[in-house]
Amino acid sequence: MKLPKYYLKQYDYFDGEEFITFNIVYIDLDKKLIQVAVSNRGKISVIEYDLHGDNCNLFFYYGPTKEKIKINEFEKI
């Protein structure tokens, strides 16, 4: 199965107060890890998260409320 290219795709998540922007830096499907650059209130951090789901429906959990961030909702920038 051929997977789409994910590198540098972007997703904007509204947390109720501000938009948080995620940019994909790296995905390792074998280890089920994703590395994203997170822009949150003027601060940029590169964070690694565990991937969940299967190869077609990948997601990770973000923040204290464990919001599900779906990889297929990221857009090319």
Side-chain angles (χ1 to χ4, degrees), residues 25-44:
V25 176
Y26 177 76
I27 290 182
D28 188 328
L29 295 175
D30 294 330
K31 295 180 182 178
K32 295 196 174 195
L33 295 173
I34 184 169
Q35 189 177 65
V36 291
V38 181
S39 301
N40 185 356
R41 292 165 176 82
K43 182 178 178 184
I44 300 174

Side-chain angles (χ1 to χ4, degrees), residues 22 26-36 38 46-54 57-63 66-71 74:
F22 298 90
Y26 177 76
I27 290 182
D28 188 328
L29 295 175
D30 294 330
K31 295 180 182 178
K32 295 196 174 195
L33 295 173
I34 184 169
Q35 189 177 65
V36 291
V38 181
V46 177
I47 305 171
E48 192 170 88
Y49 295 99
D50 293 326
L51 278 174
H52 301 276
D54 59 27
N57 299 303
L58 297 171
F59 62 91
F60 62 94
Y61 294 109
Y62 174 75
K66 303 287 187 188
E67 291 295 323
K68 187 185 285 190
I69 307 295
K70 298 176 183 177
I71 303 304
F74 280 64

